Coordinates of all heavy atoms in Angstrom, one line a residue:
M1 N 90.7 6.2 -190.4 CA 90.2 6.5 -189.0 C 91.3 6.2 -188.1 O 91.6 5.0 -187.7 CB 89.0 5.6 -188.6 CG 87.7 6.1 -189.2 SD 86.4 5.0 -188.6 CE 86.3 3.9 -190.0
S2 N 91.9 7.1 -187.5 CA 93.0 6.9 -186.5 C 92.4 7.0 -185.1 O 91.2 7.5 -184.9 CB 94.0 8.1 -186.6 OG 93.5 9.3 -186.2
T3 N 93.0 6.3 -184.1 CA 92.4 6.3 -182.8 C 93.5 6.3 -181.8 O 94.4 5.5 -182.0 CB 91.4 5.2 -182.6 OG1 90.7 5.3 -181.3 CG2 92.1 3.8 -182.8
P4 N 93.3 6.9 -180.7 CA 94.2 6.9 -179.7 C 93.9 5.9 -178.6 O 94.4 5.5 -177.7 CB 94.2 8.4 -179.0 CG 92.8 8.8 -179.2 CD 92.4 8.2 -180.6
F5 N 92.7 5.2 -178.9 CA 92.1 4.2 -178.1 C 92.4 2.8 -178.5 O 92.3 2.4 -179.6 CB 90.6 4.4 -178.0 CG 90.2 5.8 -177.8 CD1 89.4 6.4 -178.9 CD2 90.6 6.5 -176.7 CE1 88.9 7.9 -178.7 CE2 90.2 7.9 -176.6 CZ 89.4 8.6 -177.6
T6 N 92.8 2.1 -177.5 CA 93.1 0.6 -177.7 C 91.7 -0.2 -177.9 O 90.6 0.4 -177.6 CB 93.8 -0.1 -176.4 OG1 92.9 -0.1 -175.3 CG2 95.0 0.6 -176.2
P7 N 91.9 -1.3 -178.6 CA 90.6 -2.2 -178.9 C 89.8 -2.3 -177.5 O 88.5 -2.2 -177.6 CB 91.1 -3.4 -179.4 CG 92.3 -3.0 -180.1 CD 92.9 -2.0 -179.3
D8 N 90.5 -2.6 -176.5 CA 89.8 -2.8 -175.2 C 88.9 -1.6 -174.8 O 87.8 -1.7 -174.2 CB 90.7 -3.2 -174.2 CG 91.3 -4.6 -174.2 OD1 90.8 -5.4 -175.1 OD2 92.2 -5.1 -173.4
V9 N 89.6 -0.4 -174.9 CA 89.0 0.9 -174.6 C 87.7 1.1 -175.4 O 86.6 1.5 -175.0 CB 90.0 2.1 -174.7 CG1 89.2 3.3 -174.5 CG2 91.0 1.9 -173.5
V10 N 87.8 0.8 -176.7 CA 86.7 1.1 -177.6 C 85.6 0.1 -177.2 O 84.5 0.6 -177.2 CB 87.1 0.9 -179.1 CG1 85.9 0.8 -180.0 CG2 88.1 1.9 -179.5
E11 N 85.8 -1.2 -177.0 CA 84.8 -2.2 -176.5 C 84.2 -1.7 -175.2 O 82.9 -1.8 -175.1 CB 85.5 -3.6 -176.4 CG 85.7 -4.2 -177.8 CD 84.5 -4.3 -178.6 OE1 83.4 -4.7 -178.2 OE2 84.7 -3.9 -179.8
A12 N 84.9 -1.2 -174.3 CA 84.4 -0.7 -173.1 C 83.5 0.5 -173.3 O 82.4 0.6 -172.7 CB 85.5 -0.4 -172.1
I13 N 83.8 1.5 -174.1 CA 83.0 2.6 -174.4 C 81.6 2.1 -175.1 O 80.5 2.5 -174.7 CB 83.7 3.6 -175.2 CG1 84.9 4.2 -174.6 CG2 82.8 4.8 -175.8 CD1 85.8 5.0 -175.3
K14 N 81.8 1.3 -176.1 CA 80.7 0.7 -176.8 C 79.7 0.1 -175.9 O 78.5 0.3 -175.9 CB 81.1 -0.2 -178.0 CG 81.8 0.5 -179.2 CD 82.3 -0.4 -180.2 CE 82.0 -1.9 -180.2 NZ 82.7 -2.6 -181.3
R15 N 80.2 -0.8 -174.9 CA 79.5 -1.6 -174.0 C 78.6 -0.6 -173.2 O 77.5 -0.8 -172.9 CB 80.3 -2.5 -173.3 CG 79.6 -3.4 -172.4 CD 80.4 -4.6 -171.7 NE 81.7 -4.0 -171.3 CZ 82.8 -4.3 -171.7 NH1 83.0 -5.0 -172.8 NH2 84.0 -3.8 -171.2
H16 N 79.4 0.4 -172.6 CA 78.7 1.3 -171.7 C 77.7 2.2 -172.4 O 76.7 2.4 -171.9 CB 79.8 2.3 -171.1 CG 79.2 3.4 -170.3 ND1 78.7 3.1 -169.0 CD2 79.1 4.7 -170.6 CE1 78.2 4.3 -168.6 NE2 78.5 5.3 -169.5
M17 N 77.9 2.6 -173.7 CA 77.0 3.4 -174.5 C 75.7 2.5 -174.7 O 74.5 2.9 -174.5 CB 77.5 3.8 -175.7 CG 78.5 5.0 -175.6 SD 77.8 6.6 -175.0 CE 76.4 6.9 -176.3
N18 N 75.9 1.2 -175.1 CA 74.8 0.3 -175.5 C 74.1 -0.2 -174.2 O 72.8 -0.3 -174.4 CB 75.3 -0.8 -176.3 CG 75.8 -0.3 -177.7 OD1 75.3 0.6 -178.2 ND2 76.8 -1.0 -178.2
D19 N 74.7 -0.3 -173.1 CA 74.0 -0.8 -171.9 C 73.3 0.2 -171.0 O 72.3 0.1 -170.6 CB 75.1 -1.6 -171.0 CG 75.5 -2.8 -171.5 OD1 75.1 -3.3 -172.6 OD2 76.5 -3.4 -170.9
D20 N 73.9 1.4 -171.1 CA 73.5 2.5 -170.3 C 72.9 3.8 -171.0 O 72.3 4.6 -170.4 CB 74.6 3.0 -169.3 CG 75.0 1.9 -168.4 OD1 74.3 0.9 -168.1 OD2 76.1 2.1 -167.9
H21 N 73.2 3.8 -172.2 CA 72.8 5.2 -173.0 C 72.3 5.0 -174.3 O 72.5 5.8 -175.3 CB 74.1 6.1 -173.1 CG 74.6 6.4 -171.7 ND1 74.0 7.3 -170.8 CD2 75.7 6.1 -171.0 CE1 74.7 7.4 -169.8 NE2 75.8 6.7 -169.9
A22 N 71.6 3.7 -174.6 CA 70.9 3.6 -175.9 C 70.1 4.6 -176.3 O 69.9 5.1 -177.5 CB 70.4 2.2 -175.9
D23 N 69.2 5.2 -175.3 CA 68.3 6.2 -175.7 C 69.1 7.6 -176.1 O 68.6 8.2 -177.0 CB 67.4 6.6 -174.5 CG 66.4 5.5 -174.2 OD1 66.2 4.5 -175.1 OD2 65.9 5.4 -173.1
D24 N 70.1 7.8 -175.4 CA 71.0 9.0 -175.8 C 71.5 8.8 -177.3 O 71.6 9.7 -178.0 CB 72.0 9.0 -174.9 CG 71.5 9.4 -173.4 OD1 70.4 9.7 -173.2 OD2 72.4 9.4 -172.5
A25 N 72.0 7.5 -177.5 CA 72.5 7.3 -178.9 C 71.5 7.5 -180.0 O 71.6 8.1 -181.0 CB 73.1 5.9 -178.9
L26 N 70.2 7.2 -179.7 CA 69.1 7.4 -180.6 C 68.9 8.9 -180.8 O 68.6 9.4 -181.9 CB 67.9 6.6 -180.2 CG 66.6 6.7 -180.9 CD1 66.9 6.3 -182.4 CD2 65.4 6.0 -180.3
L27 N 69.0 9.6 -179.7 CA 68.6 11.0 -179.8 C 69.7 11.6 -180.7 O 69.4 12.6 -181.5 CB 68.6 11.7 -178.4 CG 67.3 11.5 -177.7 CD1 67.7 11.9 -176.2 CD2 66.2 12.2 -178.3
I28 N 71.0 11.2 -180.4 CA 72.2 11.8 -181.3 C 71.9 11.4 -182.7 O 72.1 12.3 -183.6 CB 73.3 11.3 -180.7 CG1 73.8 11.8 -179.3 CG2 74.6 11.5 -181.8 CD1 74.9 11.1 -178.6
C29 N 71.5 10.2 -183.1 CA 71.3 9.9 -184.5 C 70.2 10.6 -185.0 O 70.4 11.1 -186.3 CB 71.1 8.4 -184.6 SG 72.5 7.3 -184.2
R30 N 69.2 10.8 -184.2 CA 67.9 11.7 -184.8 C 68.3 13.0 -184.9 O 67.9 13.7 -185.9 CB 66.8 11.5 -183.9 CG 66.2 10.2 -183.9 CD 65.0 10.1 -182.9 NE 64.2 9.0 -183.1 CZ 63.3 8.6 -182.2 NH1 63.1 9.4 -181.1 NH2 62.6 7.5 -182.3
G31 N 69.0 13.6 -183.9 CA 69.2 15.1 -184.0 C 70.4 15.6 -184.6 O 70.4 16.7 -185.3
L32 N 71.4 14.8 -184.7 CA 72.7 15.2 -185.2 C 73.2 14.4 -186.4 O 74.2 14.8 -187.2 CB 73.9 15.2 -184.1 CG 73.6 16.2 -182.9 CD1 74.7 16.0 -181.9 CD2 73.4 17.6 -183.4
G33 N 72.6 13.1 -186.4 CA 73.1 12.2 -187.5 C 72.3 12.1 -188.8 O 72.7 11.3 -189.6
G34 N 71.4 13.0 -189.0 CA 70.7 13.1 -190.2 C 69.8 11.8 -190.4 O 69.3 11.6 -191.4
Q35 N 69.3 11.3 -189.2 CA 68.3 10.2 -189.3 C 67.2 10.4 -188.3 O 66.9 9.6 -187.4 CB 69.1 8.9 -189.0 CG 70.2 8.5 -189.9 CD 69.7 8.3 -191.3 OE1 68.6 8.0 -191.6 NE2 70.6 8.6 -192.2
P36 N 66.4 11.4 -188.7 CA 65.3 11.8 -187.8 C 64.2 10.7 -187.7 O 63.5 10.7 -186.6 CB 64.7 13.0 -188.4 CG 65.0 13.0 -189.9 CD 66.4 12.3 -189.9
E37 N 64.2 9.7 -188.6 CA 63.2 8.6 -188.5 C 63.7 7.4 -187.8 O 63.1 6.3 -187.7 CB 62.7 8.3 -189.8 CG 62.1 9.4 -190.6 CD 60.9 10.1 -190.0 OE1 60.0 9.4 -189.4 OE2 60.8 11.4 -189.9
A38 N 64.9 7.5 -187.3 CA 65.5 6.3 -186.5 C 64.6 5.8 -185.4 O 64.1 6.6 -184.7 CB 66.9 6.6 -186.1
T39 N 64.6 4.6 -185.2 CA 63.7 3.8 -184.3 C 64.7 3.2 -183.1 O 64.2 2.8 -182.1 CB 62.8 2.9 -184.7 OG1 63.4 2.0 -185.5 CG2 61.7 3.7 -185.6
G40 N 65.9 3.1 -183.5 CA 66.9 2.4 -182.5 C 68.3 2.8 -183.0 O 68.5 3.2 -184.1
A41 N 69.3 2.6 -182.0 CA 70.7 2.9 -182.4 C 71.6 2.2 -181.5 O 71.2 2.0 -180.4 CB 70.9 4.5 -182.2
T42 N 72.6 1.6 -182.1 CA 73.6 0.9 -181.3 C 74.9 1.6 -181.6 O 75.3 1.8 -182.8 CB 73.8 -0.6 -181.8 OG1 72.5 -1.1 -181.6 CG2 74.8 -1.3 -181.0
T43 N 75.8 1.8 -180.6 CA 77.1 2.5 -180.8 C 78.0 1.3 -181.3 O 78.1 0.2 -180.7 CB 77.6 3.0 -179.4 OG1 76.7 4.0 -178.9 CG2 79.0 3.5 -179.7
T44 N 78.6 1.6 -182.5 CA 79.5 0.5 -183.1 C 80.9 0.8 -183.2 O 81.7 0.1 -183.5 CB 78.9 0.3 -184.6 OG1 79.0 1.4 -185.3 CG2 77.5 -0.3 -184.6
G45 N 81.2 2.1 -183.0 CA 82.7 2.5 -183.0 C 83.0 3.9 -182.4 O 82.1 4.7 -182.3
V46 N 84.2 4.0 -182.0 CA 84.7 5.3 -181.6 C 86.1 5.5 -181.9 O 87.0 4.4 -181.8 CB 84.7 5.3 -179.9 CG1 85.3 6.6 -179.3 CG2 83.2 5.1 -179.4
D47 N 86.5 6.7 -182.5 CA 87.9 6.9 -182.8 C 88.1 8.4 -182.4 O 87.2 9.0 -181.8 CB 88.2 6.6 -184.2 CG 87.3 7.3 -185.2 OD1 87.2 8.5 -185.1 OD2 87.0 6.7 -186.2
A48 N 89.3 8.9 -182.8 CA 89.7 10.2 -182.4 C 88.9 11.3 -183.0 O 88.7 12.5 -182.6 CB 91.1 10.4 -182.8
E49 N 88.2 11.0 -184.1 CA 87.4 11.9 -184.9 C 85.9 11.9 -184.6 O 85.2 12.9 -184.9 CB 87.7 11.8 -186.5 CG 89.2 11.9 -186.9 CD 89.9 13.1 -186.5 OE1 89.2 14.1 -186.5 OE2 91.0 13.1 -186.1
A50 N 85.4 10.8 -184.3 CA 83.9 10.6 -184.3 C 83.4 9.4 -183.4 O 84.2 8.5 -183.2 CB 83.3 10.5 -185.8
I51 N 82.1 9.4 -183.2 CA 81.5 8.2 -182.7 C 80.6 7.6 -183.8 O 80.0 8.5 -184.6 CB 80.7 8.5 -181.5 CG1 80.1 7.3 -180.8 CG2 79.6 9.6 -181.7 CD1 79.6 7.4 -179.3
E52 N 80.4 6.3 -183.9 CA 79.7 5.8 -185.0 C 78.6 4.8 -184.4 O 78.7 4.2 -183.4 CB 80.6 4.9 -185.8 CG 80.0 4.5 -187.2 CD 81.0 4.0 -188.1 OE1 81.8 4.8 -188.7 OE2 81.2 2.8 -188.2
F53 N 77.5 4.9 -185.2 CA 76.3 4.1 -184.7 C 75.7 3.3 -185.9 O 75.9 3.6 -187.1 CB 75.2 5.1 -184.2 CG 75.6 6.0 -183.1 CD1 76.0 7.4 -183.5 CD2 75.5 5.7 -181.8 CE1 76.3 8.2 -182.4 CE2 76.0 6.6 -180.8 CZ 76.3 7.8 -181.1
A54 N 75.0 2.3 -185.6 CA 74.1 1.5 -186.4 C 72.7 2.1 -186.0 O 72.3 1.6 -185.0 CB 74.2 0.1 -186.4
A55 N 72.2 2.8 -186.8 CA 70.7 3.4 -186.5 C 69.8 2.5 -187.3 O 69.9 2.1 -188.5 CB 70.7 4.8 -186.9
V56 N 68.6 2.3 -186.7 CA 67.6 1.4 -187.5 C 66.6 2.5 -188.1 O 66.0 3.3 -187.3 CB 66.8 0.6 -186.5 CG1 65.8 -0.2 -187.1 CG2 67.9 -0.4 -185.8
V57 N 66.7 2.4 -189.4 CA 65.7 3.2 -190.1 C 65.0 2.5 -191.1 O 65.5 1.9 -192.0 CB 66.6 4.6 -190.9 CG1 65.8 5.4 -191.7 CG2 67.5 5.2 -189.9
G58 N 63.6 2.5 -191.0 CA 62.9 1.8 -191.9 C 63.2 0.3 -191.9 O 63.0 -0.3 -192.9
G59 N 63.5 -0.2 -190.6 CA 63.8 -1.5 -190.4 C 65.1 -2.0 -190.9 O 65.5 -3.2 -190.8
R60 N 66.0 -1.2 -191.4 CA 67.4 -1.5 -191.8 C 68.3 -0.7 -190.9 O 68.1 0.4 -190.6 CB 67.5 -1.0 -193.4 CG 66.7 -1.7 -194.2 CD 66.9 -1.5 -195.7 NE 68.3 -0.9 -195.9 CZ 68.8 -0.1 -196.8 NH1 68.0 0.1 -197.7 NH2 70.0 0.1 -196.9
D61 N 69.5 -1.4 -190.9 CA 70.8 -0.6 -190.1 C 71.3 0.3 -191.2 O 71.7 0.0 -192.3 CB 71.7 -1.7 -189.6 CG 71.2 -2.2 -188.3 OD1 70.3 -1.9 -187.8 OD2 72.0 -3.3 -188.0
V62 N 71.5 1.6 -190.6 CA 72.3 2.6 -191.4 C 73.4 3.1 -190.6 O 73.2 3.4 -189.5 CB 71.1 3.8 -191.7 CG1 71.8 5.0 -192.4 CG2 70.0 3.3 -192.4
T63 N 74.5 3.3 -191.2 CA 75.7 3.8 -190.5 C 75.5 5.2 -190.3 O 75.3 6.0 -191.3 CB 76.9 3.3 -191.2 OG1 77.1 1.9 -191.3 CG2 78.1 3.9 -190.5
V64 N 75.7 5.8 -189.1 CA 75.8 7.1 -188.7 C 77.0 7.4 -188.0 O 77.4 6.8 -187.0 CB 74.5 7.4 -187.8 CG1 74.5 8.9 -187.5 CG2 73.1 7.1 -188.5
R65 N 77.7 8.4 -188.5 CA 79.0 8.9 -188.0 C 78.8 10.3 -187.5 O 78.6 11.1 -188.4 CB 80.2 8.7 -189.0 CG 81.4 8.8 -188.4 CD 82.5 8.3 -189.4 NE 83.8 8.8 -189.0 CZ 84.6 8.2 -188.1 NH1 84.2 7.1 -187.4 NH2 85.7 8.7 -187.8
V66 N 79.1 10.6 -186.2 CA 78.9 12.0 -185.7 C 80.2 12.3 -185.2 O 80.8 11.8 -184.2 CB 77.7 12.0 -184.6 CG1 77.5 13.4 -184.2 CG2 76.4 11.5 -185.1
P67 N 80.7 13.5 -185.8 CA 82.1 14.0 -185.3 C 82.0 14.6 -184.0 O 81.1 15.2 -183.6 CB 82.4 15.0 -186.5 CG 81.1 15.4 -187.0 CD 80.2 14.3 -186.9
W68 N 83.3 14.4 -183.4 CA 83.5 15.3 -182.2 C 83.6 16.8 -182.5 O 83.8 17.0 -183.7 CB 84.7 14.7 -181.5 CG 84.7 13.2 -181.2 CD1 85.8 12.3 -181.5 CD2 83.8 12.4 -180.4 NE1 85.4 11.0 -181.1 CE2 84.4 11.1 -180.4 CE3 82.6 12.7 -179.7 CZ2 83.7 10.0 -179.7 CZ3 81.9 11.6 -179.1 CH2 82.4 10.4 -179.2
S69 N 83.9 17.6 -181.5 CA 84.1 19.0 -181.9 C 85.5 19.2 -182.1 O 85.9 20.3 -182.6 CB 83.7 19.8 -180.5 OG 84.6 19.3 -179.4
G70 N 86.4 18.2 -181.9 CA 87.7 18.2 -182.3 C 88.4 16.9 -182.1 O 87.8 15.8 -181.8
T71 N 89.6 16.7 -182.5 CA 90.3 15.4 -182.4 C 90.5 15.1 -180.9 O 91.1 15.9 -180.3 CB 91.6 15.4 -183.2 OG1 91.4 15.8 -184.5 CG2 92.3 14.2 -183.2
L72 N 90.1 13.9 -180.6 CA 90.4 13.5 -179.2 C 91.7 12.7 -179.0 O 92.2 12.0 -179.9 CB 89.3 12.5 -178.8 CG 87.8 13.0 -178.8 CD1 86.8 12.0 -178.3 CD2 87.6 14.3 -178.2
T73 N 92.2 12.9 -177.9 CA 93.5 12.2 -177.6 C 93.5 11.5 -176.4 O 94.5 10.6 -176.1 CB 94.7 13.3 -177.5 OG1 94.2 14.2 -176.4 CG2 94.8 14.2 -178.7
E74 N 92.4 11.5 -175.5 CA 92.4 10.8 -174.3 C 91.0 10.3 -174.1 O 90.0 10.9 -174.4 CB 92.7 11.7 -173.1 CG 94.1 12.3 -173.0 CD 94.3 13.3 -172.0 OE1 93.4 13.5 -171.1 OE2 95.3 13.9 -172.0
R75 N 90.9 9.1 -173.4 CA 89.6 8.4 -173.1 C 88.7 9.4 -172.3 O 87.4 9.4 -172.7 CB 89.8 7.2 -172.5 CG 88.6 6.3 -172.0 CD 88.9 5.2 -171.3 NE 87.6 4.5 -171.0 CZ 87.6 3.2 -170.5 NH1 88.8 2.7 -170.2 NH2 86.5 2.7 -170.3
A76 N 89.1 10.2 -171.4 CA 88.4 10.9 -170.8 C 87.5 12.0 -171.5 O 86.4 12.4 -171.1 CB 89.1 11.7 -169.5
Q77 N 88.1 12.3 -172.7 CA 87.5 13.4 -173.5 C 86.2 12.7 -174.1 O 85.2 13.6 -174.5 CB 88.2 13.7 -174.6 CG 89.5 14.5 -174.1 CD 90.5 14.7 -175.3 OE1 91.1 13.8 -175.9 NE2 90.7 16.0 -175.6
V78 N 86.1 11.4 -174.2 CA 84.8 10.9 -174.9 C 83.6 11.2 -174.1 O 82.6 11.5 -174.7 CB 85.1 9.2 -174.9 CG1 83.7 8.6 -175.5 CG2 86.3 9.0 -176.0
R79 N 83.7 11.0 -172.7 CA 82.5 11.3 -172.0 C 82.0 12.7 -172.2 O 80.8 13.0 -172.4 CB 82.8 11.1 -170.5 CG 81.5 11.3 -169.6 CD 81.8 11.1 -168.1 NE 80.6 11.3 -167.4 CZ 80.1 12.4 -167.1 NH1 80.5 13.5 -167.5 NH2 78.8 12.4 -166.2
M80 N 82.9 13.8 -172.1 CA 82.5 15.2 -172.3 C 81.9 15.3 -173.7 O 81.0 16.1 -173.8 CB 83.8 16.1 -172.2 CG 84.4 16.1 -170.7 SD 85.7 17.1 -170.5 CE 86.9 16.5 -171.5
E81 N 82.5 14.7 -174.7 CA 82.0 14.9 -176.0 C 80.6 14.3 -176.2 O 79.7 14.8 -176.8 CB 83.0 14.4 -177.1 CG 84.0 15.2 -177.3 CD 83.6 16.5 -177.9 OE1 83.1 16.5 -179.1 OE2 84.1 17.5 -177.3
V82 N 80.4 13.0 -175.6 CA 79.1 12.4 -175.8 C 78.0 13.2 -175.1 O 76.9 13.4 -175.5 CB 79.1 10.9 -175.1 CG1 77.7 10.3 -175.1 CG2 80.0 10.2 -176.1
V83 N 78.4 13.8 -173.9 CA 77.3 14.7 -173.2 C 77.0 15.8 -174.0 O 75.9 16.3 -174.2 CB 78.0 15.1 -171.7 CG1 77.1 16.3 -171.2 CG2 78.0 13.9 -170.9
R84 N 78.1 16.4 -174.7 CA 77.9 17.6 -175.6 C 76.9 17.1 -176.7 O 76.0 17.9 -177.0 CB 79.2 18.1 -176.1 CG 79.0 19.4 -177.0 CD 80.3 19.8 -177.8 NE 80.8 18.7 -178.6 CZ 80.4 18.4 -179.8 NH1 79.3 19.2 -180.2 NH2 80.9 17.5 -180.5
L85 N 77.3 16.1 -177.4 CA 76.4 15.6 -178.4 C 74.9 15.3 -178.1 O 74.0 15.8 -178.7 CB 77.0 14.4 -179.1 CG 78.3 14.4 -179.8 CD1 78.8 13.1 -180.2 CD2 78.2 15.4 -181.0
Y86 N 74.8 14.7 -176.8 CA 73.5 14.6 -176.3 C 72.7 15.8 -176.2 O 71.6 15.9 -176.6 CB 73.7 13.7 -175.0 CG 72.3 13.7 -174.2 CD1 71.2 13.0 -174.5 CD2 72.2 14.6 -173.0 CE1 70.0 13.1 -173.8 CE2 71.1 14.7 -172.3 CZ 70.0 13.8 -172.6 OH 68.8 13.9 -172.0
R87 N 73.4 16.8 -175.5 CA 72.7 18.0 -175.1 C 72.4 18.8 -176.6 O 71.3 19.4 -176.7 CB 73.6 18.9 -174.3 CG 73.5 18.4 -173.0 CD 74.3 19.2 -172.0 NE 74.5 18.6 -170.7 CZ 74.1 19.0 -169.7 NH1 73.4 20.1 -169.5 NH2 74.1 18.2 -168.6
D88 N 73.3 18.6 -177.6 CA 73.2 19.4 -178.8 C 71.9 18.8 -179.5 O 71.1 19.4 -180.2 CB 74.4 19.4 -179.7 CG 75.5 20.4 -179.2 OD1 75.2 21.1 -178.3 OD2 76.6 20.3 -179.7
A89 N 71.9 17.4 -179.5 CA 70.8 16.6 -180.1 C 69.5 17.0 -179.4 O 68.4 17.2 -180.2 CB 71.1 15.1 -180.0
C90 N 69.4 17.1 -178.2 CA 68.2 17.4 -177.5 C 67.7 18.8 -178.0 O 66.6 19.1 -178.3 CB 68.3 17.4 -176.0 SG 68.5 15.8 -175.3
A91 N 68.7 19.8 -178.1 CA 68.3 21.1 -178.4 C 67.9 21.1 -179.9 O 66.7 21.7 -180.2 CB 69.6 22.1 -178.3
A92 N 68.5 20.2 -180.8 CA 68.1 20.3 -182.2 C 66.6 19.6 -182.3 O 65.9 20.1 -183.3 CB 69.1 19.5 -182.9
L93 N 66.3 18.7 -181.4 CA 65.1 18.2 -181.5 C 64.0 18.9 -180.7 O 62.8 18.4 -180.9 CB 65.2 16.7 -181.0 CG 66.1 15.7 -182.0 CD1 66.4 14.4 -181.2 CD2 65.4 15.5 -183.4
G94 N 64.4 19.7 -179.9 CA 63.4 20.4 -179.1 C 62.9 19.7 -177.9 O 61.8 19.8 -177.5
V95 N 63.7 18.7 -177.4 CA 63.3 18.0 -176.2 C 64.3 18.4 -175.1 O 65.4 18.7 -175.3 CB 63.3 16.5 -176.5 CG1 62.5 16.0 -177.5 CG2 64.8 16.0 -176.7
P96 N 63.8 18.4 -173.8 CA 64.6 18.7 -172.7 C 65.6 17.6 -172.3 O 65.4 16.5 -172.3 CB 63.6 18.8 -171.5 CG 62.4 18.1 -171.9 CD 62.3 18.1 -173.5
A97 N 66.8 18.1 -172.2 CA 68.0 17.2 -171.6 C 67.6 16.7 -170.2 O 67.1 17.7 -169.6 CB 69.2 17.9 -172.0
R98 N 68.0 15.8 -169.9 CA 67.9 15.3 -168.4 C 68.5 16.5 -167.6 O 69.5 17.0 -167.9 CB 68.7 14.0 -168.0 CG 68.0 12.9 -168.6 CD 68.7 11.7 -168.3 NE 70.0 11.5 -168.7 CZ 70.4 11.2 -169.9 NH1 69.5 10.9 -170.8 NH2 71.7 11.1 -170.2
G99 N 67.9 16.8 -166.5 CA 68.3 17.8 -165.6 C 68.0 19.3 -166.0 O 68.3 20.1 -165.4
E100 N 67.4 19.4 -167.1 CA 66.9 20.7 -167.7 C 65.4 20.8 -167.8 O 65.0 20.6 -168.9 CB 67.7 21.1 -169.1 CG 69.3 21.0 -168.9 CD 69.9 21.4 -170.2 OE1 69.1 21.5 -171.2 OE2 71.1 21.4 -170.2
H101 N 64.7 21.0 -166.8 CA 63.3 21.1 -166.8 C 62.7 22.4 -166.5 O 63.2 23.2 -165.7 CB 62.6 20.1 -165.9 CG 63.0 18.5 -166.3 ND1 62.4 18.0 -167.4 CD2 64.0 17.8 -165.9 CE1 62.9 16.8 -167.6 NE2 63.9 16.6 -166.6

């Protein structure tokens, strides 16, 4: 796993995802991560190729790695990719994304 992101940047992204977007992470794990029965999700990693979660499935943590649409080279791309994953997950699960009612 290569990454253009320093450890401080990765920690900041994880903290933001876990503090502000835990529900979005769960939707991504359910809709795109192959864990439709997940009941919780924590962002555990970010690199140039994917975002990684610990999804709670059947009371156990399961590692879920969801790839970006391409290799990331800048921090600003993470936000765009997470929004895309969130919207794709909502579409896959048949739930409305925020702002789309």
Side-chain angles (χ1 to χ4, degrees):
M1 282 182 267
S2 66
T3 183
F5 312 120
T6 65
D8 288 348
V9 167
V10 171
E11 286 304 313
I13 293 167
K14 289 175 8 183
R15 185 173 45 252
H16 176 72
M17 286 294 296
N18 292 327
D19 290 351
D20 297 339
H21 300 289
D23 292 341
D24 299 350
L26 179 57
L27 285 170
I28 292 167
C29 288
R30 286 179 175 168
L32 303 177
Q35 300 299 331
E37 302 302 318
T39 58
T42 302
T43 303
T44 57
V46 176
D47 61 42
E49 305 300 327
I51 187 167
E52 192 166 283
F53 305 95
V56 179
V57 181
R60 296 183 28 200
D61 282 351
V62 175
T63 299
V64 175
R65 191 165 164 81
V66 181
W68 307 125
S69 62
T71 302
L72 304 189
T73 59
E74 299 176 5
R75 181 180 182 169
Q77 293 171 298
V78 173
R79 182 181 186 283
M80 293 184 299
E81 283 295 304
V82 169
V83 169
R84 181 190 62 78
L85 292 176
Y86 164 75
R87 290 176 189 249
D88 288 355
C90 288
L93 295 168
V95 298
R98 285 184 303 279
E100 295 180 4
H101 297 281

